[in-house]
Amino acid sequence: MKSSVCVTGGAGYVGSQTVWALRDRGVPVVVYDNLSTGHREHLPPDVPVVVGDVRDEAALQNCFAKHKVRAVVHCAAVALVGESMRAPSMYWSINVGGTAALTGAAMACGVKAIVFSSSAAVYGEALQIPINERHPKEPINPYGRSKHVAEQVLEDARAAGGPAWIAFRYFNAAGGDSKGRTGEDHEPETHLIPNILKVAQSMKQGGVVSPVKLFGGDYPTEDGTCERDYIHTEDLAEAHIRGVEYLLAGGQSGAFNLGTGQGRSLLAMVRAARTVTGVDIPYQITARRPGDPAQLVADADLAWQELGWRAKNSSLRHILDTAWRWMQRGDGA
Ligand SMILES: NC(=O)c1ccc[n+]([C@@H]2O[C@H](COP(=O)([O-])OP(=O)(O)OC[C@H]3O[C@@H](n4cnc5c(N)ncnc54)[C@H](O)[C@@H]3O)[C@@H](O)[C@H]2O)c1
């Protein structure tokens, strides 16, 4: 049996796209997921899924040994900022404790590499734009803090002879699979794009809709709404594959930003979504939401220099086209 790559949280939004990309290249994959927010039906039917908790070190060891796992892409996490403020201990338990259990199992089983889904949330308030990896790490919520500490868990394990690691700090993951095989499917959905598209879909179906809420219209940006850096999940998946290859070839452990380097305003997203859907999506600008910085934009040059990776599939058009197609699956679209 060939060695395989294990994707924890592989049934989730980013994880499932990575699983499809690995499988498209013929790399043997196993998914390890407790299916709390993930969906087995978004995965290739022939990929084995081990249902388990990422904090269960013994179950992880069984999975790694049974599937001859050489590298892990570690996406399993709880990932809602608001929820992390209401239930911080769950965030420490799953995001930090889960990463600790994972490194323990990886060390016991001789896993060589871990590529970790970190987040731009480790930086906190942006002191300069674009944000590079040397920017101070002062996360402003338990979610961001849990990701920051999880990076240090990987670093400590490496110092003790554990796997080489990469922490990919994603900015805003967006879009759906170009072939319509997977996409965003969260309940509740807190991300802007699916929420804009849901309004369009309801309008198409003749439903009563509330306008999309855009928090804050008085930011020091071009149109007054916040700017974010949206990166397509296909670009994220490609980065993960390169990250695994880089580490297995002896590349140095470290953190890399993943983004496009371009900020898109909330209003620009609504306008682009109107064009893609053909629906005059209504919006309402409300008061600012506490903790929302004006701009979050990545400097992703390091990933280009070290991994030869840069965003290729993250045009607004492609992001919205693929997300819209995914949302309309089952509607005969
Ligand atoms: N979506 C984004 O914009 C974004 C941005 C930055 C970072 N991230 C990070 O990327 C990763 C994936 O995010 P996503 O948007 O795909 O989230 P998601 O919720 O769609 O996927 C998370 C997956 O982890 C699984 N999971 C959760 N708790 C688990 C546990 N205790 N044991 C085993 N499996 C568990 C879920 O079932 C799910 O399949 C997360 O680590 C997240 O923090 C996401």
Side-chain angles (χ1 to χ4, degrees):
M1 185 174 135
K2 274 166 72 177
S3 64
S4 46
V5 174
C6 174
V7 183
T8 74
Y13 175 40
V14 176
S16 59
Q17 187 69 66
T18 305
V19 170
W20 279 105
L22 285 161
R23 187 173 163 284
D24 288 346
R25 307 231 181 142
V27 178
V29 195
V30 55
V31 167
Y32 186 96
D33 197 301
N34 71 355
L35 301 176
S36 54
T37 60
H39 307 268
R40 194 193 277 262
E41 64 278 17
H42 298 171
L43 288 168
D46 55 349
V47 162
V49 178
V50 177
V51 179
D53 195 290
V54 73
R55 292 164 292 185
D56 186 343
E57 195 169 327
L60 283 167
Q61 280 193 33
N62 283 338
C63 168
F64 295 166
K66 182 173 172 202
H67 295 275
K68 294 200 184 328
V69 170
R70 224 164 113 72
V72 176
V73 175
H74 176 34
C75 300
V78 274
L80 300 174
V81 169
E83 183 184 62
S84 81
M85 293 165 90
R86 294 189 299 275
S89 53
M90 180 168 80
Y91 278 69
W92 284 90
S93 174
I94 296 176
N95 295 358
V96 178
T99 305
L102 178 77
T103 53
M107 288 175 79
C109 296
V111 170
K112 302 286 177 230
I114 298 179
V115 173
F116 170 55
S117 300
S118 188
S119 167
V122 301
Y123 296 118
E125 299 286 354
L127 303 178
Q128 90 260 340
I129 295 290
I131 299 171
N132 67 27
E133 291 81 357
R134 293 180 306 283
H135 185 286
K137 266 61 81 187
E138 287 170 9
I140 55 171
N141 50 57
Y143 169 66
R145 275 192 282 280
S146 72
K147 289 287 175 182
H148 185 37
V149 175
E151 290 187 2
Q152 295 166 56
V153 170
L154 294 170
E155 202 174 339
D156 286 351
R158 177 65 174 158
W165 60 277
I166 280 178
F168 278 134
R169 296 175 183 151
Y170 319 160
F171 280 61
N172 288 63
D177 178 55
S178 291
K179 296 187 178 141
R181 302 170 296 185
T182 189
E184 192 151 21
D185 194 354
H186 293 130
E187 192 52 53
E189 187 53 81
T190 59
H191 293 144
L192 178 74
I193 295 173
N195 282 330
I196 294 176
L197 296 178
K198 272 184 188 173
V199 172
Q201 194 180 34
S202 302
M203 286 176 76
K204 275 205 134 164
Q205 292 166 347
V208 180
V209 296
S210 323
V212 179
K213 274 198 183 135
L214 306 181
F215 297 101
D218 57 351
Y219 285 100
T221 55
E222 230 171 85
D223 62 25
T225 62
C226 293
E227 288 179 4
R228 296 290 178 265
D229 187 340
Y230 295 92
I231 177 86
H232 200 287
T233 49
E234 292 175 328
D235 281 330
L236 294 179
E238 172 64 25
H240 289 74
I241 293 176
R242 282 183 191 227
V244 167
E245 288 169 352
Y246 170 86
L247 292 177
L248 293 180
Q252 235 195 324
S253 298
F256 297 89
N257 286 341
L258 295 181
T260 63
Q262 218 187 329
R264 323 274 197 179
S265 77
L266 306 185
L267 258 182
M269 297 309 284
V270 173
R271 278 197 217 101
R274 284 177 168 175
T275 307
V276 165
T277 60
V279 176
D280 194 18
I281 303 162
Y283 67 85
Q284 181 193 5
I285 295 184
T286 62
R288 290 186 184 195
R289 201 167 44 177
D292 266 349
Q295 287 179 306
L296 278 180
V297 181
D299 173 343
D301 279 358
L302 194 61
W304 171 242
Q305 286 160 25
E306 293 296 320
L307 308 173
W309 175 91
R310 65 163 52 128
K312 288 195 179 138
N313 297 297
S314 295
S315 68
L316 264 197
R317 180 81 205 198
H318 183 63
I319 284 176
L320 287 163
D321 267 342
T322 52
W324 181 230
R325 219 175 313 139
W326 171 250
M327 184 162 285
Q328 290 185 295
R329 69 195 186 281
D331 289 358

